[in-house]
Amino acid sequence: DAKTTQPNSMESNEEEPVHLPCNHSTISGTDYIHWYRQLPSQGPEYVIHGLTSNVNNRMASLAIAEDRKSSTLILHRATLRDAAVYYCILDAGGTSYGKLTFGQGTILTVHP
Amino acid sequence: NAGVTQTPKFRVLKTGQSMTLLCAQDMNHEYMYWYRQDPGMGLRLIHYSVGEGTTAKGEVPDGYNVSRLKKQNFLLGLESAAPSQTSVYFCASRGRSDTQYFGPGTRLTVL
């Protein structure tokens, strides 16, 4: 399985933008880039995913490099509720039956 | 619409005891998954199912069995619990949207 590399931790101030990077240099052409986050003592929750084009939703934006070897999750205005572990995961789509391989993720700390 | 629910929320077992964890989803999803999460680690896939009556092994299947007799339920069994199985267990389901929905987790301690 193609792997991802993320920083262990990042910090931000409340109401400031946050850019969470992810490297996936061995990504294949059919791998989707998924982001999930896990708040303390909860199960992971879906944030966003994309294949080639940048994506936006109500939670975040996903910027994908042109060569797809890296991507960035953007939280436009961090809140204290955004403090969580963020996981960048590659999903091979139908052939993998949706199986996800979680790394250790990035621990995001948001300061008031 | 409850999403994904897990029963029980907490459990303490003695080594050698057995138990079954229940996962239920009300979203009519075909795919269901069982993961475990050890302290400071990401989730690891134990078993998964791509439809009613089907199951398959994930990354760490040893010591666990599963069954999917009904589409909405996915059961995880521990026949003879070991301290190494102390963990938080998460169930998830996935429909056509490529999004996995996770339950709140079951915290299991094996003494």
Side-chain angles (χ1 to χ4, degrees):
Chain A
D1 293 339
K3 293 186 177 179
T4 63
T5 304
Q6 300 177 250
N8 290 333
S9 62
M10 292 187 65
E11 297 186 17
S12 174
N13 294 319
E14 201 173 10
E15 298 190 2
E16 290 184 354
V18 181
H19 290 233
L20 297 167
C22 181
N23 288 321
H24 29 78
S25 58
T26 60
I27 190 171
S28 73
T30 56
D31 285 342
Y32 285 79
I33 302 160
H34 284 244
W35 284 82
Y36 284 77
R37 72 179 185 181
Q38 187 174 21
L39 280 64
S41 300
Q42 294 188 24
E45 65 173 344
Y46 168 81
V47 178
I48 200 166
H49 78 285
L51 184 61
T52 57
S53 304
N54 294 344
V55 184
N56 299 296
N57 66 22
R58 63 175 180 82
M59 290 181 68
S61 295
L62 175 60
I64 301 173
E66 196 168 335
D67 63 4
R68 298 205 335 121
K69 293 185 177 182
S70 65
S71 60
T72 301
L73 178 70
I74 303 166
L75 307 179
H76 296 286
R77 290 184 65 198
T79 69
L80 297 179
R81 292 178 57 186
D82 291 322
V85 180
Y86 287 79
Y87 296 100
C88 170
I89 303 167
L90 300 183
D91 181 355
T95 58
S96 73
Y97 302 110
K99 293 179 292 180
L100 300 180
T101 300
F102 286 78
Q104 290 190 289
T106 297
I107 300 171
L108 175 64
T109 301
V110 181
H111 299 289
Chain B
N1 189 338
V4 178
T5 58
Q6 294 184 231
T7 308
K9 290 184 169 53
F10 303 93
R11 186 72 185 269
V12 178
L13 290 178
K14 294 181 179 178
T15 297
Q17 288 184 319
S18 63
M19 79 164 294
T20 300
L21 283 66
L22 171 62
C23 176
Q25 53 96 2
D26 60 3
M27 296 172 282
N28 201 35
H29 285 170
E30 291 292 336
Y31 295 175
M32 296 188 74
Y33 312 85
W34 275 107
Y35 295 88
R36 62 175 287 175
Q37 185 175 33
D38 299 323
M41 305 288 289
L43 281 70
R44 291 184 294 168
L45 182 65
I46 305 171
H47 285 281
Y48 64 101
S49 168
V50 300
E52 182 178 317
T54 74
T55 62
K57 294 180 180 180
E59 180 187 355
V60 288
D62 293 343
Y64 305 95
N65 56 76
V66 288
S67 64
R68 182 104 181 265
L69 299 180
K70 294 182 179 180
K71 186 177 184 179
Q72 63 268 34
N73 296 336
F74 195 27
L75 278 63
L76 178 70
L78 287 73
E79 291 185 348
S80 179
S84 61
Q85 294 178 305
T86 293
S87 190
V88 181
Y89 291 84
F90 291 102
C91 175
S93 71
R94 170 174 163 150
R96 294 178 180 272
S97 68
D98 296 337
T99 300
Q100 285 197 22
Y101 296 84
F102 286 81
T106 294
R107 188 173 298 275
L108 175 66
T109 301
V110 182
L111 302 176

